[in-house]
Structure formats: C-alpha cells, structure tokens
Amino acid sequence: QVDEHTLTDQRDQHNKDPFPIYTAIDKQCKQQKDADPWFEFTPYEAGYSLTGAFVETSNFGSKFENGRKIKNQPEIDMLYLQALCSSVLADEEEIWKWIKDPNSPPIDECHQVLLNLVNMNLAMLKDVDPSAFDKDIRAKLTDVCLSICRCLVLWIWGRKHNFHNMTDAAVPAALLKSETRDYIDTALLLNPPYFSVLREERDIDLIISLDFSEDDPFMTVREAAETCRKLKIPFPEANITSELSEKPKDFYVFKGQNTPTVIHIPLFKMVNCGDKIEAWKNKYATFQGPYSAEMITDLMKVAGKNITNNRVKLLEQIRAVTKAKLIQAMARQNPTL
C-alpha cells in the first residue's frame, strides 16, 4: 500500500509499538571513508548518529543557513522514507563494480524496461493484472540489466539540503563541504543499524541481532566490532571461525568488559534448515524476482523459529542484563554495598 503518513505521525504510538529508528548513510562520507556516514530518522529527530548533529524530523530536507531554517520543505512521507532507506542501487561506486561487460544492449531497450517497471507498479496500485509487463521485463532483463545500471548512476538519489550549513568545530569537515548531501541504503556499508543503536545517549545494554545476510552470517557483527574498535565505541569482540560460518549454530552471545551484550541469531542454520542451508540461501537470494506467497510463508516460519526456539535463552540474557543494571544502580546510590 502507498503510505502517505509521515514519521512524526508515529509520535503517539509508542505505548503499543516499538520505537522506530530508520537508518540510511551519507554517500559522500562513505565514499571518502571519513567523518560520520551513519544517519538516522526517528519520529522526533533526523541526523548523524555519532556526530550528534540533528534537526527535527519534520524539518529534514528544508534549507538551513547558520542553523536557521530559510526555506521549508514539507516532511517526506513513509513511502519516500522507505525508498530512501532501501536505495541499494544509489551508489555509483558500487554499481560500477557490478558492470563488467562494455557490450550491453542499446539504451532504448533499457528505457523500455524502466517504463515497464513503472507501468507494472501502476497496474498493481490500480488492481489491474500486471503479468504482461512482468513477462516483457523478464524477457529483456537478462540482456539489458547492465544498461539499466548505467542509467541508474545518472539519477539523483536521496539528495537533500545540507542542514549543517554552519561553522562548528564539532561537525566533521566532510559534512560542511557541500550545500546538499545524498542519503542511501545502509546495507551498502553495514546492514544492521548498530551505530544508531550505539549512540552514547541511548546507553544500550543489550542488542538482539537477527542476521539476514545472504553470505557469511557473521560478517556484519564482525565488521561492527572492528569499526567500534577503531572508533573507540564499547562493543564486545566477535571471534567466529570459518567453520562456524559454514554451519552456524542457533544462538550466540558476545560479551565484554563495559560493553553491551550482543545476541546474534543467524537466519539459516542447522537447527531450522538441517543440512540444506545452502539450498535455503539460494532460494532466498538478494537479487531475484518477487517472492511468491508460499515462499513468504515458508520464510516467515523459519524466521519465527529463530525466536520461539530461543525464547528461554533470550529471557535468560535479558534477566542477566537487567540484574547487572540494577546492581550498578544500587552501587551508585550506596557505594558501601
């Protein structure tokens, strides 16, 4: 469904829903490999997680000068926000890595496929059978996908006014160099939103990481640990052997001194897939056509087992973290304890 609500509309829903944090990354910061690429959206604020530079979410996209809003931009709706946070084709550097063959079909074929994609989505919104467009796309897509990629890199993705248009020593220089910034899919850097969760102000004690990586199920937690080490952010070590990566177990707990506890649960593993882990990975690959209703049902069952099978272990870790937190609080109130 087309959701025209805004994120700030969710401000009064936290009594029944989890607090939502949407994440994206700053493309320029990612490509320059410096500053703070991690960007987040909540019902209250939007900005750079580690730098701490934020504006009200309703003001994201507006034009600022020296911290003062000089041109208002209406708040983006959820449809745009979800597209922004999943714009995996928005980084031209990544796209060019995928493009190898210079002998792709003419640009007009690429253009026709893009038109068919638009028409197919419009047909679905109007409750019209889109199968004719789908059939034509599938017939052409294999031959023209590289040309599509070439078209994609010419589009402007997630470009917004830079609200850091000011002089501030606390803001990295890379964020002050341009009047606009481009925001793209976090998965192009690191899929799970560790660095938004790890904001110092949030004082996180426990992270439950449900991994949906297509390849190595421990890649994300290892990369998060390494990045945290470089940035001096408290995070436990994640030492995983290659053998465990090939045949992951059901439940992993990483702990450290003065770090949050990280529970890591891979999606496909021996417990819920038996010896057919590779078959499940291939069935639910990242780059493939839409999932059928049957595929979605099967995938939800497998993902659900990751929680139901580990319910007791999850509660044990939650209680342990809660107990440690309580002891720390009591010790602060009464140092003689």
Side-chain angles (χ1 to χ4, degrees):
Q1 296 181 358
V2 176
D3 189 351
E4 296 183 355
H5 291 89
T6 64
L7 190 53
T8 57
D9 290 339
Q10 299 182 23
R11 285 184 177 180
D12 299 326
Q13 297 180 13
H14 310 320
N15 59 335
K16 58 180 180 179
D17 294 332
F19 185 75
I21 304 175
Y22 289 80
T23 59
I25 54 174
D26 183 304
K27 183 175 76 171
Q28 290 90 337
C29 287
K30 171 188 175 291
Q31 293 178 349
Q32 294 167 12
K33 296 180 174 58
D34 62 1
D36 174 13
W38 311 102
F39 199 91
E40 65 178 75
F41 304 86
T42 75
Y44 298 95
E45 59 185 3
Y48 291 82
S49 300
L50 302 185
T51 299
F54 288 86
V55 293
E56 286 191 15
T57 300
S58 58
N59 288 329
F60 174 71
S62 296
K63 191 172 183 178
F64 287 79
E65 185 173 316
N66 293 322
R68 184 174 60 89
K69 184 167 68 172
I70 60 173
K71 183 179 180 181
N72 185 61
Q73 167 70 37
E75 183 179 355
I76 62 176
D77 59 30
M78 294 302 298
L79 183 67
Y80 184 99
L81 178 61
Q82 290 165 3
L84 177 69
C85 293
S86 59
S87 53
V88 72
L89 296 176
D91 188 342
E92 65 272 12
E93 284 191 353
E94 298 295 332
I95 294 295
W96 287 119
K97 290 178 185 177
W98 301 339
I99 297 177
K100 301 295 183 182
D101 182 9
N103 303 313
S104 359
I107 197 72
D108 56 340
E109 290 185 33
C110 172
H111 181 251
Q112 186 58 51
V113 171
L114 294 174
L115 284 178
N116 283 342
L117 284 168
V118 172
N119 288 328
M120 185 171 72
N121 279 279
L122 289 174
M124 293 175 69
L125 290 172
K126 296 176 181 178
D127 202 24
V128 176
D129 182 9
S131 57
F133 297 115
D134 180 66
K135 183 177 180 181
D136 190 59
I137 290 169
R138 290 177 183 274
K140 294 179 179 178
L141 191 56
T142 302
D143 295 329
V144 304
C145 61
L146 295 180
S147 289
I148 291 176
C149 289
R150 289 192 174 93
C151 285
L152 291 172
V153 300
L154 300 177
W155 295 1
I156 295 174
W157 300 75
R159 178 161 295 176
K160 294 294 180 183
H161 290 294
N162 183 4
F163 58 81
H164 297 110
N165 188 9
M166 64 180 75
T167 302
D168 190 331
V171 178
L175 296 180
L176 304 174
K177 291 179 179 178
S178 63
E179 293 185 359
T180 59
R181 309 298 296 181
D182 296 341
Y183 302 102
I184 60 178
D185 189 341
T186 314
L188 291 165
L189 195 56
L190 185 67
N191 213 356
Y194 283 111
F195 294 97
S196 294
V197 173
L198 289 168
R199 279 178 58 187
E200 185 176 357
E201 299 88 344
R202 291 198 163 115
D203 192 22
I204 292 297
D205 299 295
L206 176 66
I207 297 174
I208 300 175
S209 166
L210 304 176
D211 188 76
F212 294 91
S213 301
E214 182 177 3
D215 298 315
D216 181 355
F218 300 99
M219 176 188 70
T220 55
V221 70
R222 272 198 301 258
E223 290 186 359
E226 178 62 19
T227 303
C228 284
R229 184 185 63 80
K230 294 177 181 177
L231 297 175
K232 295 182 171 52
I233 297 174
F235 196 87
E237 292 187 11
N239 298 317
I240 301 294
T241 65
S242 57
E243 182 180 353
L244 285 176
S245 295
E246 294 173 2
K247 295 183 178 181
K249 296 180 182 179
D250 203 29
F251 191 87
Y252 295 84
V253 180
F254 303 105
K255 295 185 177 183
Q257 280 288 97
N258 300 316
T259 72
T261 296
V262 177
I263 296 172
H264 190 69
I265 305 178
L267 175 59
F268 300 131
K269 48 193 178 295
M270 300 295 290
V271 171
N272 56 8
C273 298
D275 58 356
K276 298 180 180 180
I277 294 177
E278 286 303 314
W280 276 90
K281 286 183 177 180
N282 293 333
K283 181 178 180 181
Y284 292 98
T286 300
F287 295 103
Q288 66 178 60
Y291 293 176
S292 65
E294 182 181 0
M295 290 176 67
I296 293 173
T297 300
D298 288 346
L299 184 61
M300 292 296 290
K301 285 181 180 178
V302 170
K305 287 180 181 178
N306 288 335
I307 300 300
T308 55
N309 289 349
N310 294 296
R311 183 176 182 274
V312 173
K313 295 177 183 177
L314 283 164
L315 290 175
E316 286 176 353
Q317 293 301 323
I318 291 171
R319 291 189 186 105
V321 168
T322 304
K323 182 179 179 180
K325 190 76 170 179
L326 180 61
I327 292 173
Q328 290 175 5
M330 292 173 64
R332 283 195 296 268
Q333 291 178 359
N334 188 350
T336 61
L337 288 176

